[in-house]
Amino acid sequence: MNKTLFIQKRYNKLNYCEYIPKINRGEKVPLVLFLHGGGERGSDNKSQLKNAILKVINKKSTSKFMNSVVIAPQCPLNIRWVNTLSGDGNYTLAKVEESKLMKQVVSLVKSYMNLDFIDKNRVYVIGLSIGGFGTWDLLARHSDIFTAGVPICGGGPTDAINILKNIPIYTFHGTNDFVVPYSGTKEMVDLIIGAGGTKINFVSFKSAGHNVWDDAIIYDGDRANPNLEDWLFNNRNR
């Protein structure tokens, strides 16, 4: 896969890749944070582009992602975006503090939000597997920053429902996922709906396992759910 549209960069001690489209003078574009999964951890500053994101950057010229700034940090080996085991499913903010790594990611996002060509009302986060956990976590802890989120086959904080119910979320999970339990995403969705949330979309990939991310990121919609890309970029703060 051609990864040349991304540039390898470093923010303090955090490796990340950056994609910036051609931006006209005075134009403001969305910012997308992409959090990779456990298999792409390391220090090469390129493996984080292996899954999902290149389905919409480089390969799909009409994609709205290509008119956005995309940043993709890399999680080092042997740690996680969120300090909880994926196989355990959901967790609580009360018991799991925000990781040092995630604090670095938030600082990186804020540095981009200070750029004059970033639309601060359209800041999105997408993550898969451990990045799905990271997506739920960021939405819960930093609802003032992120406009909408797409957690794919992850798990979230069950004690943050009153925050999450007010955030546009589009989540995906395979029903036969034996790496990260499907029941975690199902529980998060049920809790949000039970609390009166109306901004949640949930797609279950029936009989699918863990690696549903390449299908999720290009999801065209169905009778109950909209096209993911259209939905994401139509969301704005206030």
Side-chain angles (χ1 to χ4, degrees):
M1 289 185 178
N2 179 15
K3 303 176 183 178
T4 56
L5 291 181
F6 279 91
I7 298 173
Q8 291 178 320
K9 304 194 77 172
R10 191 170 175 85
Y11 178 80
N12 295 329
K13 296 181 180 181
L14 180 65
N15 286 332
Y16 75 100
C17 288
E18 168 198 82
Y19 165 76
I20 296 183
K22 181 179 178 180
I23 301 172
N24 298 320
R25 184 183 296 272
E27 183 182 8
K28 291 185 179 292
V29 300
L31 174 64
V32 177
L33 170 66
F34 176 74
L35 300 178
H36 65 78
E40 296 80 67
R41 288 175 290 185
S43 58
D44 63 358
N45 203 14
K46 63 180 181 180
S47 295
Q48 69 264 42
L49 303 178
K50 179 181 177 181
N51 291 315
I53 193 62
L54 292 184
K55 295 284 284 189
V56 287
I57 296 288
N58 291 354
K59 297 184 69 175
K60 189 178 177 184
S61 61
T62 59
S63 171
K64 295 178 182 178
F65 283 93
M66 296 195 72
N67 293 319
S68 308
V69 171
V70 180
I71 52 175
Q74 186 175 32
C75 179
L77 286 171
N78 301 320
I79 64 174
R80 302 168 182 271
W81 303 112
V82 181
N83 293 324
T84 185
L85 295 177
S86 301
D88 291 344
N90 295 335
Y91 61 100
T92 62
L93 299 184
K95 292 184 178 180
V96 179
E97 294 184 2
E98 185 172 30
S99 68
K100 292 181 179 179
L101 177 62
M102 197 62 86
K103 290 178 181 178
Q104 287 182 298
V105 170
V106 171
S107 181
L108 173 66
V109 170
K110 287 181 176 178
S111 74
Y112 273 81
M113 292 176 69
N114 287 330
L115 300 175
D116 58 6
F117 54 81
I118 294 295
D119 185 347
K120 297 179 181 62
N121 291 312
R122 290 194 293 166
V123 180
Y124 311 117
V125 55
I126 300 172
L128 56 95
S129 191
I130 64 169
F133 280 83
T135 299
W136 283 110
D137 200 74
L138 286 173
L139 294 174
R141 297 185 198 269
H142 300 283
S143 58
D144 57 322
I145 294 176
F146 294 97
T147 308
V150 184
I152 302 170
C153 55
T158 55
D159 59 346
I161 299 304
N162 284 334
I163 296 171
L164 294 168
K165 70 177 184 180
N166 297 313
I167 302 172
I169 297 171
Y170 205 141
T171 187
F172 300 83
H173 215 124
T175 59
N176 285 356
D177 189 337
F178 297 109
V179 179
V180 178
Y182 168 82
S183 59
T185 295
K186 180 67 164 58
E187 180 185 26
M188 292 299 295
V189 172
D190 288 346
L191 288 172
I192 288 171
I193 293 174
T198 60
K199 299 181 179 181
I200 184 83
N201 291 278
F202 179 32
V203 172
S204 299
F205 288 106
K206 297 188 184 302
S207 302
H210 187 53
N211 59 336
V212 298
W213 39 77
D214 282 346
D215 291 327
I217 204 164
I218 58 171
Y219 196 71
D220 281 335
D222 53 37
R223 291 182 180 179
N225 298 287
N227 173 283
L228 172 63
E229 192 169 300
D230 291 342
W231 172 90
L232 183 65
F233 290 100
N234 283 336
N235 276 297
R236 297 173 180 268
N237 287 339
R238 288 169 282 280

